[in-house]
Amino acid sequence: MTAGDDVVLLDDEGTMIGTAPKSSVHDTDTALHLAFSCHVVNDLGEVLVTRRALSKVAWPGVWTNSFCGHPRPGEDIADAVHRRAADELGMRVEGVHVTLPDFRYRAVDASGIVENEICPVYTARAASEPVPHPDEVMEIRWVEPERLADAVRATPWAFSPWLVLQAQELPLLTTGPGSRLS
């Protein structure tokens, strides 16, 4: 394990209290840690959704937002967004913008694995086409935001719990004025 594999551990107020190897924080007793989610939009206004690889520890095979990740200790989250876009999706993004800075959730998957994250939510524009890494993503789709929002409401069990929660707050996936990424 290298420092690049470490995640930032947080107290309940969101203050850094240490670091731990990423492999040690996603289990049945996951410590609160820092993460991020990103929703990528293309020039047509479609949002990229991904289906998690079956090899993923938590929520394998589930549809979710474009990508997620963990900033390394001392790494700016916007820099981590760019890094993970390249690592997970083989793509470049631009216009990275925090949309839900205070998003936080805790969820338990069917195997008992817990996600427990303070997880700011970002939006970004695609600057290249995705070429997903097969250990991370098994399938991708560009969809209209309204269709994604409808699908999440109709079949929440088919999506990651963080996407279901984000869809309730994220302007990109809510109806009405301001629902599109500018």
Side-chain angles (χ1 to χ4, degrees), residues 72-86:
R72 294 173 175 152
E75 181 180 32
D76 181 78
I77 297 180
D79 292 339
V81 170
H82 287 280
R83 175 179 51 82
R84 286 302 298 160

Side-chain angles (χ1 to χ4, degrees), residues 155-175:
T155 58
W157 47 265
F159 298 92
S160 69
W162 56 91
L163 175 57
V164 173
L165 293 168
Q166 290 169 12
Q168 297 169 18
E169 300 180 50
L170 191 64
L172 175 67
L173 299 178
T174 57
T175 58

Side-chain angles (χ1 to χ4, degrees), residues 10 12 25-26 30-37 52 58-59 64-65 67-70 100-109 113-121 159-166 169:
L10 303 171
D12 203 45
V25 298
H26 293 96
T30 300
L32 181 63
H33 61 280
L34 183 60
F36 64 84
S37 288
R52 294 169 61 84
W59 285 275
T64 193
N65 57 292
F67 64 96
C68 296
H70 301 89
L100 300 176
D102 300 319
F103 184 76
R104 179 179 182 164
Y105 75 101
R106 184 180 187 282
V108 183
D109 84 352
I113 298 295
V114 176
E115 284 284 10
N116 187 17
E117 299 177 336
I118 292 180
C119 184
V121 179
F159 298 92
S160 69
W162 56 91
L163 175 57
V164 173
L165 293 168
Q166 290 169 12
E169 300 180 50

Side-chain angles (χ1 to χ4, degrees), residues 36-40 48 50 64-69 80-86 88-89 91 93 96 124 137 162:
F36 64 84
S37 288
C38 187
H39 297 263
V40 178
L48 179 66
T50 60
T64 193
N65 57 292
S66 304
F67 64 96
C68 296
V81 170
H82 287 280
R83 175 179 51 82
R84 286 302 298 160
E88 191 167 324
L89 292 172
M91 74 183 303
V93 294
V96 173
V137 175
W162 56 91

